[in-house]
Amino acid sequence: MTETERHRVMLEVLKDRPFATVRDLQAVIDASPATIRRDIAKLHATGSVRKVFGGIAAAEAANPFDRVTARPFTENQMLGVAAKKAIALEAAALVHDGDALIIHGGSTCYLFALLLAERNVRIFTNSMPLAATLWQNGTCHLSLAGGELYREPGILFSPQSSRPEFFASKFFLGAQAITPNGMHESHPLVVRETEQLLQRADEVIVLADSRKFGVRARNPMMPLSRVGTLITDDGITDSNHRMLIDAGIRVIIAKPVPDAS
């Protein structure tokens, strides 16, 4: 990767998030930390980015709408909880005892996996929050991705690692945005990690509440044709529902139950 290409990737990363560490950049750029720091200094000198402790920040604050799809895991946990719980219940109904599953990071997948904590299933996950909870409260068989912890998305990943030696009948994952072109993510690291896991599962099941339609996320993750089933809530529009059906996706509509309290 040339210097110009590295600079382009750095600027692309900052279009979807206000800050990136050197380690974050290493996950998407094939370069040493020293090279990345030199690139940061050059971009800072041109005014394209701001050099800050540990990484780079956007030169100007982005519009909050542009960053709606790049919230950290801990913040996403607080959004659309009723819809996510309903989606999680529908997803759990698709799991059979003895299944081998890959469960990706993300707040909806987290709620779904909690329902499997004491089921007779094998789970492979890259989600640090999920792994910690299942370790403390579960009896299911658990396998973890290796590598370093990336705190914003809450996942474990090693840029040098090969695909995991784990094969699953079902791969459950979320998406930051859903368009006619497919599933998209704001964090390029999530895309890289997902590409490895897609080759280790028979069926892909996307858990995505209706807020994910019509928002923007810059990095394509996979086409609609790779998705077997998508579970969403009853806020989905007729046009988006038809888009999924026309792509050959089985759509399950979860109806959130109002909180009795």
Side-chain angles (χ1 to χ4, degrees):
M1 185 178 288
T2 67
E3 179 180 286
T4 300
E5 290 171 336
R6 294 196 304 271
H7 290 183
R8 178 184 56 79
V9 171
M10 290 180 180
L11 294 174
E12 286 291 321
V13 168
L14 289 181
K15 286 182 179 179
D16 290 308
R17 50 195 301 205
F19 171 78
T21 66
V22 171
R23 191 173 67 177
D24 290 336
L25 295 171
Q26 266 196 285
V28 294
I29 297 173
D30 185 17
S32 68
T35 297
I36 289 175
R37 290 190 182 95
R38 285 194 295 270
D39 288 336
I40 290 173
K42 290 180 180 179
L43 288 172
H44 175 79
T46 66
S48 302
V49 303
R50 290 185 296 117
K51 183 179 179 181
V52 296
F53 180 77
I56 54 173
E60 297 179 359
N63 186 312
F65 177 78
D66 291 335
R67 296 205 312 266
V68 69
T69 58
R71 293 187 177 98
F73 173 84
T74 51
E75 185 177 339
N76 269 324
Q77 278 187 299
M78 309 300 294
L79 301 173
V81 176
K84 291 175 180 178
K85 286 183 176 180
I87 292 169
L89 285 170
E90 293 287 350
L94 301 180
V95 177
H96 305 287
D97 286 348
D99 274 350
L101 313 170
I102 296 174
I103 303 180
H104 208 278
S107 55
T108 307
C109 286
Y110 177 87
L111 292 173
F112 156 64
L114 295 185
L115 300 176
L116 309 178
E118 297 184 358
R119 293 274 301 271
N120 179 26
V121 293
R122 297 174 60 233
I123 294 174
F124 176 95
T125 188
N126 61 353
S127 169
M128 190 64 190
L130 175 57
T133 299
L134 292 180
W135 167 64
Q136 290 182 315
N137 304 301
T139 57
C140 60
H141 184 279
L142 182 63
S143 298
L144 303 183
E148 297 182 63
L149 172 63
Y150 291 79
R151 294 184 181 277
E152 182 184 349
I155 65 174
L156 296 163
F157 180 71
S158 172
Q160 290 77 37
S161 66
S162 58
R163 290 171 291 182
E165 293 301 318
F166 188 98
F167 295 87
S169 58
K170 301 178 181 73
F171 178 14
F172 292 88
L173 74 162
Q176 292 292 347
I178 303 171
T179 74
N181 295 324
M183 308 292 155
H184 301 258
E185 278 288 340
S186 292
H187 203 304
L189 173 62
V190 175
V191 175
R192 286 189 61 184
E193 202 269 348
T194 300
E195 288 172 347
Q196 293 184 352
L197 295 178
L198 284 171
Q199 301 178 57
R200 288 293 188 261
D202 296 326
E203 181 182 4
V204 174
I205 302 174
V206 174
L207 312 184
D209 63 80
S210 57
R211 297 177 304 116
K212 303 301 178 65
F213 295 87
V215 298
R216 291 176 290 177
R218 190 166 302 277
N219 302 287
M221 184 167 64
M222 63 179 168
L224 293 180
S225 59
R226 185 64 178 89
V227 181
T229 300
L230 185 142
I231 308 177
T232 189
D233 60 86
D234 56 4
I236 187 173
T237 65
D238 290 342
S239 60
N240 284 325
H241 192 179
R242 174 51 54 189
M243 174 186 72
L244 299 175
I245 296 297
D246 289 346
I249 298 173
R250 174 193 180 194
V251 181
I252 297 176
I253 306 296
K255 296 184 177 181
V257 177
D259 192 337
S261 61

